[in-house]
């Protein structure tokens, strides 16, 4: 499998998905990440994908009320709101946008974070987020590798029915779930590893990217983790991204997207002396580059860059 410059990529799963997708967006890839917010477990990802494919429309009965907020058991808290209408609008708009994107995307990247799922006893369902509801209302379950494989198979089948051309990349988040405990975290990751590799053996156009192994086994040093010793830090994420690019892209496309990243850094640059001749030349040079690439790749949106370098030059 080869990813081409400016391909579209649909990301779903853990916070690691957001980190990688943001970096690819900076390189002018067309990305959509986590339309349900961060999801950690396979059951929640399965449910979200199905609802996106069949364009589920949420209504009042699909939400619950807790601590002055309306929320969805299937969504991250970023979709909760004090207004039920606002919460429903955010949820339903994201589903429609995600369906449209998923139907035509080139690549689907699924990042699995945990084999543990939380069952909400009162509503009789597995949930994606506990929304700070008291712990005694939930039952925590470690899902077996066999059941996880079945869920992953269903996810792949349903995506490919909607979008037969899509290549699917499965990866396991290197984020340590230390709240589960070190032993339980390792059990969880082991179940995911087994399930993912079982799924890949009998599904076409499905691939594995070893983000977990890169961080845990190749980097394997706490200097690559944030202060909580659980989340990979900026440097680790940059290294994983470089592995992703090197493994999945051709050299010519790598050179091109790195040029896009240089333009992004130039766009973000803020001069201490904006009225100098040197800075004016800097802006002029980058405007010329942007104009060149906008003509060469008319399907790529360079409008923000053109406006920025034009207005400030």
């Amino acid at each position: 499998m080869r990813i081409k410059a400016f391909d579209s990529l649909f990301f779903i799963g853990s916070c690691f998905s957001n980190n990688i997708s943001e970096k690819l967006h900076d390189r002018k890839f067309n990305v959509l990440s986590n339309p349900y917010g961060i999801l950690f477990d396979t059951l929640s990802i399965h449910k979200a994908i199905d609802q996106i494919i069949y364009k589920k429309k949420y209504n009042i009965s699909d939400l619950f009320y807790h601590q002055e907020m309306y929320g969805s058991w299937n969504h991250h808290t970023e979709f909760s709101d004090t207004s039920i209408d606002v919460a429903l609008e955010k949820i339903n708009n994201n589903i429609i946008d995600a369906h449209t994107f998923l139907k035509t995307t080139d690549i689907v990247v699924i990042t699995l974070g945990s084999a543990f799922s939380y069952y909400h006893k009162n509503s009789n369902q597995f949930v994606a987020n506990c929304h700070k509801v008291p712990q005694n209302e939930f039952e925590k379950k470690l899902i077996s590798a066999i059941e996880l494989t079945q869920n992953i198979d269903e996810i792949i089948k349903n995506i490919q029915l909607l979008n037969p051309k899509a290549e699917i990349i499965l990866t396991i988040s290197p984020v340590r779930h230390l709240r589960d405990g070190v032993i339980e975290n390792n059990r969880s990751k082991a179940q995911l590893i087994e399930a993912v590799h079982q799924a890949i053996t009998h599904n076409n156009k499905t691939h594995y990217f070893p983000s977990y192994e890169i961080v845990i086994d190749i980097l394997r040093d706490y200097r690559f983790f944030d202060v909580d010793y659980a989340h990979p830090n900026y440097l680790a994420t940059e290294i994983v991204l470089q592995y992703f690019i090197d493994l999945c892209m051709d050299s010519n496309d790598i050179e091109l997207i790195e040029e896009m990243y240089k333009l992004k850094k130039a766009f973000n640059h803020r001069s201490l002396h904006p009225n100098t001749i040197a800075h004016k030349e800097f802006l002029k040079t980058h405007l010329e580059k942007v104009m060149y690439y906008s003509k060469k790749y008319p399907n790529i949106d360079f409008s923000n860059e053109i406006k920025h370098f034009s207005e400030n030059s």
Side-chain angles (χ1 to χ4, degrees):
M1 183 202 70
R2 275 287 178 261
I3 298 174
K4 298 177 183 177
F6 313 135
D7 270 353
S8 60
L9 294 95
F10 179 99
F11 285 82
I12 191 165
S14 81
C15 52
F16 198 70
S17 288
N18 287 348
N19 293 336
I20 297 298
S21 64
E22 286 174 7
K23 293 180 183 300
L24 291 175
H25 181 263
D26 288 343
R27 289 160 174 81
K28 286 296 181 184
F29 283 91
N30 184 22
V31 300
L32 189 150
S33 181
N34 281 340
Y36 274 47
I38 294 166
L39 302 175
F40 296 106
D41 69 298
T42 309
L43 301 187
S44 297
I45 294 171
H46 185 188
K47 186 187 291 186
I49 289 288
D50 281 359
Q51 291 183 355
I52 289 167
I53 288 172
Y54 295 105
K55 295 191 285 188
K56 174 178 170 58
K57 184 175 176 62
Y58 275 71
N59 54 50
I60 292 172
S61 63
D62 293 311
L63 304 187
F64 67 93
Y65 187 71
H66 177 68
Q67 292 184 343
E68 304 181 78
M69 302 285 282
Y70 292 95
S72 160
W73 289 120
N74 301 319
H75 290 75
H76 189 266
T77 53
E78 68 185 86
F79 287 88
S80 300
D81 201 275
T82 55
S83 165
I84 195 167
D85 292 331
V86 171
L88 287 172
E89 184 178 13
K90 285 193 288 186
I91 289 169
N92 287 323
N93 286 347
N94 270 271
I95 289 174
I96 295 299
D97 291 345
H99 175 88
T100 302
F101 195 98
L102 183 58
K103 194 172 183 177
T104 59
T105 193
D106 301 298
I107 313 289
V108 178
V109 182
I110 303 170
T111 307
L112 306 172
S114 176
F116 284 104
S117 292
Y118 285 83
Y119 181 80
H120 187 238
K121 291 177 280 189
N122 291 342
S123 62
N124 193 33
Q125 63 178 307
F126 284 99
V127 302
N129 196 291
C130 294
H131 294 271
K132 298 182 179 179
V133 170
Q135 189 174 352
N136 59 13
E137 293 191 23
F138 301 93
E139 183 179 348
K140 179 180 173 183
K141 295 185 177 183
L142 181 63
I143 310 301
S144 71
I146 292 174
E147 188 175 349
L148 291 171
T149 304
Q150 291 170 347
N151 272 277
I152 295 168
D153 285 342
E154 283 292 318
I155 291 169
I156 294 167
K157 181 186 77 173
N158 291 342
I159 290 172
Q160 291 178 338
L161 284 173
L162 178 71
N163 182 356
K165 75 164 187 173
E167 299 279 350
I168 298 171
I169 299 174
L170 299 171
T171 188
I172 294 167
S173 169
V175 176
R176 292 183 171 101
H177 291 253
L178 296 180
R179 289 183 181 178
D180 294 330
V182 175
I183 293 173
E184 295 301 289
N185 173 71
N186 286 339
R187 289 183 66 199
S188 168
K189 299 294 186 184
Q191 300 280 58
L192 290 176
I193 291 168
E194 176 62 20
V196 164
H197 286 284
Q198 286 293 332
I200 287 172
T201 60
H202 52 256
N203 282 289
N204 296 326
K205 302 179 77 172
T206 305
H207 317 272
Y208 183 68
F209 176 71
S211 55
Y212 176 79
E213 290 80 358
I214 291 168
V215 174
I216 301 300
D217 294 323
I218 297 177
L219 301 184
R220 65 180 184 195
D221 192 306
Y222 277 113
R223 75 176 183 272
F224 294 108
F225 282 84
D226 213 335
V227 292
D228 61 0
Y229 297 113
H231 290 78
N233 60 20
Y234 173 84
L235 178 58
T237 308
E238 285 288 321
I239 292 171
V240 172
L241 174 69
Q242 197 57 55
Y243 270 97
F244 185 82
I245 290 171
D246 291 343
L247 287 172
C248 301
M249 299 189 69
D250 291 323
S251 57
N252 289 338
D253 282 336
I254 292 174
E255 290 178 14
L256 176 58
I257 64 166
E258 287 311 314
E259 284 300 311
M260 296 301 103
Y261 189 51
K262 289 176 184 177
L263 286 175
K264 178 66 175 180
K265 290 194 288 187
F267 177 84
N268 290 335
H269 175 70
R270 295 297 178 264
S271 175
L272 294 175
H273 307 287
N275 295 320
T276 60
I277 294 175
H279 184 65
K280 299 291 184 183
E281 285 296 320
F282 171 86
L283 294 170
K284 180 183 176 183
T285 298
H286 285 90
L287 178 60
E288 290 172 355
K289 288 183 179 180
V290 170
M291 296 305 296
Y292 167 78
Y293 286 118
S294 67
K295 291 176 182 177
K296 189 171 183 179
Y297 304 103
N299 294 330
I300 307 303
D301 183 11
F302 289 97
S303 57
N304 288 335
E305 290 86 350
I306 292 172
K307 180 180 179 182
H308 173 78
F309 292 124
S310 299
E311 288 183 348
N312 295 283
S313 59

